[in-house]
Amino acid sequence: MLRRLVVFLIVANLLFFVWSRGWLEEITGSRVHPEREPERLTRQVNPGLVVILPPGAASATSAAPAPEGSAAATAMPSAAASSVFAAGTCLEAGPFATGAAVSAAAALLALQPPLPAGSWAEGKTERPGSWMVYMGRFPNRDALAKKDEELRRTRVSYESLTAPADLVPGFSFGRYADRASADRALEQLGQRGVRSARVVELTAPASLHMLRAERADAAVAARLTALRSAVLGRGFVPCGS
């Protein structure tokens, strides 16, 4: 019995050895190593594109630096520079009085390297003044109340002022965008018996200057927004801010 078992084990081992070597593939129709590399390569979608590298070649290839002129090496910096500002960004600095505008424009012209020609321009707007037909300033609240009682009898329109501080306490008979209109209103008040009113200037007319880059590209916009100085004040900000 023991002899038969030994013979059986020897025969089984011999059969396994013959089968593991692939010598029985033609007889059994099965493959011992169905996933060998040659068979796997033939099942690739594009087997011609697969290249088997010798040991160490793959790590050397991945460690090699990209060529200096490659798109991968240069795409990131340019993308980062252009992502901050959209094309055609409108920026402006000001408003400046006439003298300050001259200094601000000179500061831009002195930049090195110079800004591109035509990338910015100076604009001017006229700010109208404002005037008030005014009565006051009264020495105390009692004097104000007494004059208020007198004005009620004339049936003219007026209001008590709360600002500006240097005109309080006092009365306003209207605000006007030009001196001529204020003078005419004062004359009409005199015809109605109001004698102690006068015209005061609230704000003087002024010419205001703006430095504006209507359609600044990313490079110009970055340079302009970085400018900060006593001459340029808050510097360049988005138009309308």
Side-chain angles (χ1 to χ4, degrees):
M1 183 67 180
L2 182 60
R3 182 181 300 174
R4 291 180 180 179
L5 179 60
V6 171
V7 172
F8 174 77
L9 291 175
I10 292 173
V11 172
N13 279 287
L14 288 173
L15 288 174
F16 178 78
F17 176 77
V18 172
W19 176 80
S20 64
R21 302 299 293 180
W23 296 340
L24 299 178
E25 289 182 358
E26 298 297 332
I27 299 174
T28 62
S30 62
R31 295 180 181 272
V32 180
H33 302 291
E35 293 301 320
R36 279 192 245 168
E37 289 302 323
E39 287 78 4
R40 293 177 63 185
L41 285 177
T42 59
R43 292 198 297 272
Q44 298 291 331
V45 177
N46 292 303
L49 298 180
V50 179
V51 178
I52 301 175
L53 298 176
S59 58
T61 301
S62 62
E68 293 184 1
S70 67
T74 58
M76 289 301 292
S78 60
S82 60
S83 62
V84 179
F85 299 102
T89 301
C90 182
L91 299 170
E92 63 183 5
F96 303 102
T98 301
V102 173
S103 299
L108 286 189
L109 293 172
L111 289 177
Q112 293 298 327
L115 292 170
S119 61
W120 63 276
E122 180 180 348
K124 183 176 74 170
T125 59
E126 298 297 332
R127 184 188 69 188
S130 61
W131 288 263
M132 177 193 296
V133 178
Y134 168 77
M135 182 182 290
R137 181 181 185 198
F138 296 101
N140 51 55
R141 292 293 174 180
D142 290 339
L144 179 72
K146 182 178 179 179
K147 180 57 68 173
D148 182 39
E149 184 178 351
E150 292 178 8
L151 290 173
R152 289 179 185 275
R153 291 195 291 268
T154 64
R155 298 182 181 276
V156 297
S157 298
Y158 64 96
E159 62 177 347
S160 296
L161 290 175
T162 58
D166 58 335
L167 298 181
V168 177
F171 297 115
S172 169
F173 298 89
R175 290 174 168 82
Y176 302 89
D178 60 86
R179 179 62 188 257
S181 297
D183 288 338
R184 286 194 296 270
L186 179 63
E187 183 179 354
Q188 292 171 2
L189 281 176
Q191 294 172 358
R192 299 181 63 176
V194 179
R195 305 296 182 188
S196 57
R198 68 184 191 276
V199 174
V200 296
E201 183 181 75
L202 298 177
T203 57
S207 295
L208 299 179
H209 301 256
M210 301 291 295
L211 302 181
R212 175 174 290 205
E214 287 283 354
R215 299 184 59 82
D217 61 26
V220 171
R223 292 186 65 189
L224 291 179
T225 54
L227 294 175
R228 295 290 186 275
S229 69
V231 174
L232 291 170
R234 64 174 183 168
F236 280 82
V237 297
C239 295
S241 298

